[in-house]
Amino acid sequence: MSLLVIASEAHSDHETVAMDDGALVPSPENPQRAVMIEAALRHAGHHFAEPVEVDAGLLAAVHTPEYLEFLATAWGRWVERGETAPAAMGFAWPPRGSPGTRPDDLIGQLGFHSFSADTSIVAGTWTAALSSASVAVAATDRALDNGATVYGLCRPPGHHASADQFGGYCYLNNAALSAQRLLERGVQRVGILDIDYHHGNGTQSIFYDRSDVMVVSIHVDPRNEFPWFTGHANEVGEGRGHGWNLNLPLSAGADFGTWSSALEQALGCLEGGDIDALVVSLGVDTFEGDPMGTFRLTTPDFAAIGRRLATIGSPTVVLQEGGYAIADLGVNVAAFLEPLGQ
Ligand code: OKP
Ligand code: ZN
């Protein structure tokens, strides 16, 4: 069965370097990922549309004005100050308990506005981040308009980006923008189901004190994996958001039996939250062959997850997050989406 895919070519100049175990390497979050996903989805017969540019007011409802300005201008400032390294990165981050004053200098701001050295900024980064956000919001609009599941082929991913920090290959939080757009269009309560291998720390932080968006995440236990500092089961939200954040960390090496029990728990929680629309942060780095993950999901398992989600019935937006097993990436996304078409 076929569904609508929103995609854009505007990500293609976003090719960065990543710090990995002490070495600067080409980032595994590369343009080829989107190429592979698009090829598999075209082969599966899904139809494609391009996004319109995301509204600035929506961006400002999720991210701080300083951060948006920083992202839009960082590369130009890097070149202007005579830097010659191929990617802009910070090297110092705010010490614990620091007062939180933003530095004026670009290098200081690169540290202030990031939380991990796996993520850098190149000439094509802002265009790509903006197009990825535009893909997410266009997918959201079409899902609402059509009352159908729509897939946003987002690249770069978004779930690690907070209101004012990039990291984990993410710059703008596509899932948060999608949820915010749903609210803006009159949806009462939104659920975000994050099934990437890694905890979506950015999404969690954006909605942590809110009860209009319930965030539920299944991921590897952060005691032994990025993003290291969030994703524990005792992070349940605060203030009005208390009880509206659920983390289901699993031990490394989890198989589909373990994973699908967590999915049932996640869906039970979302059902209890009485949500009117669902945003899925789809990472397929839970795949058995993923170089970054240890979970043991297979391609048929992704189809089974898609079938399960197809039974939910609320308007659903599926947004691409991680997945790094290049050869299997498209096939896994296609397997997941197939049952969600109509
Ligand atoms: C982004 B997403 C591997 C280093 C990995 C960062 C992982 C970012 C994951 N040696 N560092 O959630 O798929
Ligand atoms: Zn991931």
Side-chain angles (χ1 to χ4, degrees), residues 144 221 233 241 297 321:
L144 260 194
D221 192 318
L297 274 58
E321 300 286 356

Side-chain angles (χ1 to χ4, degrees), residues 20-21 118 157 159-160 168-169 196 198 226 285 292 321-324:
D20 185 13
D21 298 344
D118 55 8
H159 72 148
H160 296 300
Y169 316 145
D196 187 278
H198 304 94
F226 183 88
D285 40 8
M292 232 178 268
E321 300 286 356
Y324 308 95

